[in-house]
Amino acid sequence: LALMTELAGPYPFVGEKYAQAEFKWFGSMEHQTASSLSPIIFRGDRYFELVVIHELAHQWFGDSLTPEQWSDIWLNEGFARYLEALWLEDEYGAETYRDYMRQIGVERHPDFFADDGVLIDPDPILPNTLIYDKGAWVLHMLRMWIGKPAFRDFLYNYANDPALALGSVTLDDMIGHAEAASGRNLTGFFDPWLKTSLVPEVTSQWRRTRDGRDGHGVSITLTQLQTPLFQVAIPVVVYTQCQNIPGIVMMNKGSHTLNLETPCRVDSVAVDPEGMVLMRTQPAPPPPLVVEGPRPNPVSATGCKFSIFLKEDREVTVKTYDARGANLFREDLGQLPGSGPAKDPMALPYVYNWPPETATERLPSGVYWVEFSAEGATVTRKLTYLR
């Protein structure tokens, strides 16, 4: 509570309680003024402390500031997840914070969230963790882009805006506060993170600019390969024969060069050595699973088709979820043969027909998500079904 008050202001429901209610279910929920927690949480050894801080953070981000649109649900879960990281940083230090960000980043999502959809058009909240984990990473990247003092101002002022607190908020409300705290337009920052499933793809080169009695120096050039371009702050470390020199490249265009003078000869340069930027530093390998479709969409009662491309032979399972996140039905397609990369004109995909014949009669019109799984690789596609 002390940390949340420091970061986000006074408890939103002053004059009311803050309770923790034990209930017989494996999970937790951020009911207003009362976190409902599973009995397993109450161990006495802080093992589940991140669950407690997550649900507590929701009193500000979710219960006080409630998204007006479902598409902005990451404003709940991404903020609460990132408050977990800020708790770890405050309680245990910067390295614990970095470990946690890596854990909920590429360690949990080795494909860099590529097949998880986009933040402002999320799949069902569970089992997908996009709005939690990538939402937290967007806030982490924002803090790097605008700096820690401006980020703190943003977090506090956003949570305590009297026009927003204890009411509904929009994405524009949040971005407006971030822009006010940073003093800059952030459209170019937020649009790629929120509206695409891409991440920056960055190559790097460096060369010594001076290397002798007249001094030493280095030139570091970073280049983005993807479209659209991201606004991203990328740490670098220059290793010299006498000391290591940290720097940061503020990329807001396709290519950026950082020139530094150094006290002695440069040995090497490392780009993002601590893994604190959500980016690729080398071309992505062909994904193990690619799904194209649905075709057509919206989908009539006659159904639609998906094309499944596999890098190699794999067992494939298909699940369909409704807007509540309920798994309506599942099909095991068995082991399908490798078809080759989707970009290969000779690749022969497996064609999957949706919905299954047994489900057509009982499936009402609505929005659905079809999840394809192939031994660890997962792709989710959204469709609209009109009977």
Side-chain angles (χ1 to χ4, degrees):
L1 277 168
L3 178 64
M4 284 302 308
T5 300
E6 176 186 343
L7 295 177
Y11 180 59
F13 308 102
V14 289
E16 250 285 10
K17 64 184 181 299
Y18 172 65
Q20 292 179 340
E22 183 178 351
F23 70 142
K24 295 182 178 180
W25 181 62
F26 181 80
S28 56
M29 185 55 63
E30 64 274 15
H31 298 112
Q32 193 176 81
T33 75
S35 296
S36 295
L37 301 169
S38 168
I40 67 168
I41 303 298
F42 301 98
R43 292 174 28 146
D45 60 0
R46 300 176 69 161
Y47 184 82
F48 287 106
E49 63 182 319
L50 292 186
V51 178
V52 174
I53 185 66
H54 183 100
E55 306 306 345
L56 174 61
H58 273 312
Q59 300 299 319
W60 285 259
F61 303 102
D63 290 337
S64 174
L65 305 176
T66 303
E68 188 174 288
Q69 303 288 336
W70 175 254
S71 58
D72 294 332
I73 189 64
W74 80 274
L75 296 177
N76 277 21
E77 302 302 345
F79 274 74
R81 179 73 92 219
Y82 192 56
L83 263 298
E84 298 175 35
L86 293 182
W87 160 260
L88 292 174
E89 183 178 52
D90 183 78
E91 186 74 1
Y92 302 108
E95 186 54 40
T96 303
Y97 169 89
R98 290 192 289 266
D99 285 343
Y100 186 66
M101 293 308 299
R102 288 189 289 262
Q103 177 189 329
I104 65 173
V106 294
E107 291 180 17
R108 186 178 294 174
H109 306 272
D111 65 347
F112 295 83
F113 304 96
D115 293 317
D116 292 336
V118 297
L119 276 179
I120 59 171
D121 187 17
D123 297 339
I125 286 185
L126 298 173
N128 194 351
T129 59
L130 172 77
I131 60 174
Y132 296 78
D133 296 342
K134 188 174 181 179
W137 263 94
V138 170
L139 294 174
H140 165 76
M141 300 299 293
L142 175 64
R143 188 172 79 155
M144 293 183 67
W145 183 248
I146 68 176
K148 291 182 180 180
F151 184 85
R152 282 233 174 181
D153 289 345
F154 150 65
L155 201 64
Y156 192 96
N157 294 337
Y158 171 52
N160 290 276
D161 184 340
L164 303 178
L166 303 180
S168 298
V169 296
T170 66
L171 181 63
D172 287 342
D173 292 330
M174 184 276 291
I175 293 176
H177 272 284
E179 291 180 335
S182 65
R184 62 180 98 168
N185 185 299
L186 294 174
T187 301
F189 172 85
F190 280 109
D191 275 2
W193 289 118
L194 302 182
K195 297 179 180 179
T196 80
S197 59
L198 302 174
V199 296
E201 296 183 12
V202 179
T203 62
S204 62
Q205 293 180 319
W206 69 273
R207 62 182 178 86
R208 300 183 185 93
T209 54
R210 288 185 294 167
D211 192 15
R213 296 177 58 184
D214 295 332
H216 301 272
V218 64
S219 179
I220 307 165
T221 299
L222 303 184
T223 302
Q224 295 190 58
L225 304 179
Q226 82 298 321
T227 302
L229 298 176
F230 284 72
Q231 294 180 354
V232 57
I234 303 178
V236 296
V237 177
V238 178
Y239 298 95
T240 75
Q241 293 180 345
C242 57
Q243 69 183 78
N244 300 335
I245 303 171
I248 193 159
V249 179
M250 303 295 290
M251 294 199 71
N252 57 5
K253 53 187 178 181
S255 185
H256 189 99
T257 299
L258 176 67
N259 294 303
L260 295 173
E261 293 185 1
T262 61
C264 44
R265 190 175 194 270
V266 175
D267 288 334
S268 62
V269 173
V271 177
D272 188 28
E274 294 178 327
M276 285 293 97
V277 180
L278 194 63
M279 68 177 183
R280 298 184 189 274
T281 55
Q282 56 187 5
L289 171 65
V290 172
V291 178
E292 294 182 350
R295 293 185 298 267
N297 188 26
V299 183
S300 69
T302 57
C304 65
K305 298 182 183 299
F306 292 90
S307 295
I308 302 173
F309 297 85
L310 293 168
K311 183 179 178 181
E312 56 191 19
D313 295 3
R314 290 201 177 195
E315 298 277 344
V316 177
T317 299
V318 184
K319 296 179 181 178
T320 297
Y321 295 88
D322 65 12
R324 300 168 301 165
N327 181 200
L328 302 182
F329 47 84
R330 163 183 173 149
E331 284 191 284
D332 294 312
L333 304 184
Q335 187 173 64
L336 302 183
S339 54
K343 294 183 180 180
D344 184 347
M346 302 300 291
L348 296 175
Y350 175 87
V351 177
Y352 172 73
N353 296 298
W354 186 96
E357 292 183 5
T358 56
T360 304
E361 292 301 323
R362 59 184 173 88
L363 199 63
S365 297
V367 177
Y368 297 92
W369 288 262
V370 184
E371 180 187 84
F372 299 83
S373 300
E375 300 177 22
T378 302
V379 174
T380 304
R381 293 289 178 259
K382 182 180 178 182
L383 60 83
T384 301
Y385 181 58
L386 302 174
R387 291 191 60 180

